[in-house]
Amino acid sequence: MNKYDVGVITDGEAGRNLAFDLSANGYSTVLYNTGLDNMSRDEMNRYIAEIQEMGILASTSSEMTVNLLKAPRILFVVSRSGVFAEEMLRELYELAGEGDILIDTCDTNYKVTAARCRQFEKKQIAYIGAGFSGAETGALAGASIMAGGSLDAYTSIYDMLCCVSSKYDGFPCCAYMGPDGAGQYVKMLHNGIAYGVMQALSEAISVLRHIGGCDETQLREIIGEWGTGDNESFFIQAAYDILSKRDAETGKPLTELVSDKVGYGKSVVWLCTSAAELSVPIPSIYAALNQLFLTALKKERTAFSDLVAGEAEKEIHIINDEKKAFIEDVRNGLYLCTLCIYTQAFALLRRASDLYIWGTDPLDAAITFQGGSYIRARILSRAIDAFRNRQDVKSLLEDPYFAGTVKRYSVSLRRIAGLAAEGAVPAPVFTASLSYLDAYAAKELDTGLVELMRDYVQDAGFEKKDEEKKRYHADWKDVRDEISCQEITK
């Protein structure tokens, strides 16, 4: 019996398309799609005929898939469902053998991925937890692949991964991010960036609509113009397309019909949890996540809106003579918000890589993002240049181009954040980004009082200026205005 090069186990279209891409690149492929169980007989027959035309063999079980592969066996597990991944990997743990390679592309907490690496190592099975961006389209036309886990396994299948990855400037958008859960950590960052950018863009459009008085046609024209400049990105193009769509039944723009309740994946929660654990500030992404939580409070928001009707409402309208400058301010403000989101994410990646000894190169991550992923953008190309010019850069804000942009655009971000606040238009990412830039640019913050209050109530101690290696405790029980401070020597 002929043996095949690679197997794909999936529950949906993304896995099927990955199998198509592998086959088109010359790899004989076995595809096990559990979704067959939900198809009618006619649908199943059409499906099998379609994949057979691509030279792909349809399998009906994990065991059959494993048995049809050449040794060492290479298997992809592809799904949006973490439960599916858990079930399939449990089966493959029993079915796979020494030297086999498992590539898990399902979004998973990086700590779980690290545990799986150790689990499969016990049977000398190589496990790769691979962040995978591009979904169904990327699986067919080229995805962004962020691999973590076994380096030897990654090296052995590098050519295969390159074939199914997208390309940027001649480079495959596929890279090894480090051992254990590094690949899934980078994918987690990718998803956090995506949520942050989507929320910032939503806020920009909201400000244009409610303060600038722009209708759907005008919004589409503005977003279309932005798509040809420095703000160009996948999400700008997506917004442009969405703004042009109307409901077939009512004829109304879809943006007028859609609910304001927004769903979200767990990865952005994992990201914010990790940032808190590592003490890395990511306020722009936090703001986006908190706004997602607020959207779910529909009943509470509706009731409170009725309770305070008129209290928070203050209409502000930009007159025609000021509209061009206003739109430019919104554009500039959005660019700085996006810069803050990328800056915070890459700073978190650097901290995690150092702590967990992953050796993740931010340049590799940036190039991988710039291919088939949803966060590809012109600003990301600038970030790639920044990482190439200076490998030890701690923050994108240190890059001369971005530092200059902050100087030029800060007044715009401040103006729009102020107008949004005055006009009661929620813009949490704009506000958080402005505060982040102000704090990052401050040589000295007025936060010493917080440290003194911590000492006042908890005896936590504090540092004095220019004496960072020493800590002191004040004698707060002394009723005099002048109290003594003793160095803490323990």
Side-chain angles (χ1 to χ4, degrees):
M1 181 176 65
N2 291 333
K3 294 286 187 176
Y4 289 75
D5 296 326
V6 59
V8 178
I9 299 177
T10 187
D11 61 352
E13 191 175 350
R16 184 196 66 173
N17 287 350
L18 176 62
F20 285 176
D21 202 3
L22 287 164
S23 179
N25 279 282
Y27 294 99
S28 56
T29 306
V30 180
L31 174 61
Y32 171 38
N33 188 345
T34 61
L36 287 172
D37 298 337
N38 300 319
M39 294 182 185
S40 67
R41 182 174 296 277
D42 288 342
E43 289 173 334
M44 186 184 301
N45 288 338
R46 286 195 298 270
Y47 175 84
I48 293 175
E50 181 182 19
I51 66 172
Q52 284 178 339
E53 287 181 7
M54 294 290 296
I56 298 169
L57 180 67
S59 173
T60 56
S61 70
S62 299
E63 183 176 7
M64 178 181 175
T65 305
V66 170
N67 291 334
L68 284 167
L69 299 179
K70 300 173 184 175
R73 291 165 289 203
I74 303 170
L75 279 151
F76 286 84
V77 178
V78 184
S79 175
R80 293 182 177 180
S81 167
V83 174
F84 177 85
E86 190 69 36
E87 292 176 354
M88 291 300 106
L89 290 170
R90 193 180 301 117
E91 289 186 21
L92 293 174
Y93 183 78
E94 301 300 330
L95 294 170
E98 181 178 340
D100 290 346
I101 300 173
L102 304 181
I103 306 101
D104 175 13
T105 70
C106 309
D107 278 1
T108 308
N109 189 299
Y110 70 101
K111 295 180 180 179
V112 173
T113 304
R116 286 175 180 169
C117 285
R118 294 188 289 272
Q119 177 189 12
F120 281 101
E121 281 176 0
K122 294 177 182 178
K123 290 188 65 176
Q124 297 185 7
I125 300 169
Y127 174 84
I128 295 176
F132 189 92
S133 178
E136 291 84 358
T137 302
L140 186 60
S144 292
I145 302 174
M146 301 142 252
S150 170
L151 176 58
D152 289 341
Y154 172 79
T155 302
S156 69
I157 62 170
Y158 176 73
D159 290 340
M160 179 183 292
L161 294 177
C162 285
C163 285
V164 297
S165 70
S166 54
K167 307 296 184 291
Y168 168 71
D169 199 23
F171 292 91
C173 295
C174 167
Y176 180 72
M177 300 300 168
D180 299 330
Q184 284 294 356
Y185 197 94
V186 174
K187 179 57 182 350
M188 181 178 74
L189 286 170
H190 166 283
N191 292 354
I193 291 169
Y195 277 105
V197 171
M198 286 190 288
Q199 176 60 33
L201 179 54
S202 172
E203 292 173 18
I205 291 174
S206 182
V207 169
L208 289 171
R209 177 183 284 119
H210 296 292
I211 295 178
C214 299
D215 60 22
E216 297 301 308
T217 300
Q218 292 171 320
L219 287 173
R220 190 168 186 268
E221 290 176 356
I222 292 167
I223 300 301
E225 291 178 4
W226 290 358
T228 62
D230 285 345
N231 285 51
E232 180 270 328
S233 70
F234 170 84
F235 284 121
I236 287 286
Q237 182 59 52
Y240 178 78
D241 290 342
I242 290 167
L243 287 167
S244 70
K245 305 303 181 185
R246 293 182 174 272
D247 176 56
E249 184 177 347
T250 64
K252 294 182 178 179
L254 280 179
T255 51
E256 292 183 9
L257 301 179
V258 66
S259 167
D260 62 355
K261 294 169 66 176
V262 181
Y264 59 92
K266 287 292 185 182
S267 56
V268 67
V269 179
W270 301 334
L271 171 67
C272 291
T273 300
S274 176
E277 291 173 347
L278 302 184
S279 302
V280 177
I282 56 167
S284 301
I285 300 174
Y286 268 132
L289 178 61
N290 285 329
Q291 192 71 356
L292 293 178
F293 293 158
L294 274 167
T295 69
L297 304 179
K298 183 67 174 179
K299 291 182 180 179
E300 292 92 332
R301 288 188 289 113
T302 300
F304 188 67
S305 177
D306 293 339
L307 185 65
V308 298
E311 293 297 320
E313 295 178 7
K314 183 177 180 181
E315 291 190 1
I316 299 176
H317 296 295
I318 303 299
I319 61 176
N320 290 335
D321 291 346
E322 300 174 344
K323 200 161 189 177
K324 184 176 180 180
F326 167 77
I327 293 171
E328 185 67 7
D329 281 338
V330 178
R331 185 195 74 85
N332 296 344
L334 176 61
Y335 188 89
L336 283 192
C337 286
T338 306
L339 173 58
C340 286
I341 290 164
Y342 278 100
T343 297
Q344 293 161 22
F346 279 112
L348 178 56
L349 175 59
R350 182 175 292 278
R351 171 62 177 150
S353 178
D354 289 345
L355 181 66
Y356 301 129
I357 319 176
W358 286 338
T360 310
D361 188 341
L363 175 60
D364 286 342
I367 291 175
T368 301
F369 291 160
Q370 188 64 332
S373 90
Y374 298 133
I375 63 172
R376 58 187 185 270
R378 187 166 299 185
I379 193 173
L380 189 52
S381 295
R382 296 283 191 181
I384 290 171
D385 291 340
F387 290 131
R388 281 176 173 161
N389 293 336
R390 184 179 160 192
Q391 293 183 345
D392 64 341
V393 63
K394 293 182 179 179
S395 168
L396 285 175
L397 297 181
E398 297 175 7
D399 177 74
Y401 175 82
F402 287 132
T405 303
V406 171
K407 289 181 180 179
R408 295 193 306 274
Y409 289 177
S410 286
V411 64
S412 293
L413 178 58
R414 196 174 307 281
R415 187 176 295 128
I416 296 305
L419 284 172
E422 189 178 352
V425 177
V429 175
F430 270 64
T431 304
S433 298
L434 177 61
S435 295
Y436 172 76
L437 290 173
D438 284 343
Y440 200 80
K443 291 182 179 180
E444 186 168 325
L445 296 168
D446 290 327
T447 50
L449 179 61
V450 177
E451 191 73 334
L452 290 176
M453 286 191 285
R454 290 181 70 245
D455 187 55
Y456 189 93
V457 299
Q458 298 176 346
D459 295 334
F462 55 89
E463 294 178 0
K464 291 184 178 180
K465 295 177 182 179
D466 303 322
E467 295 185 40
E468 293 182 355
K469 293 184 178 181
K470 297 180 181 180
R471 290 191 70 79
Y472 294 85
H473 170 64
D475 183 10
W476 299 108
K477 294 179 181 179
D478 194 328
V479 297
R480 296 174 299 173
D481 290 339
E482 294 182 358
I483 60 176
S484 61
C485 297
Q486 300 296 324
E487 183 179 352
I488 301 173
T489 57
K490 293 182 180 180

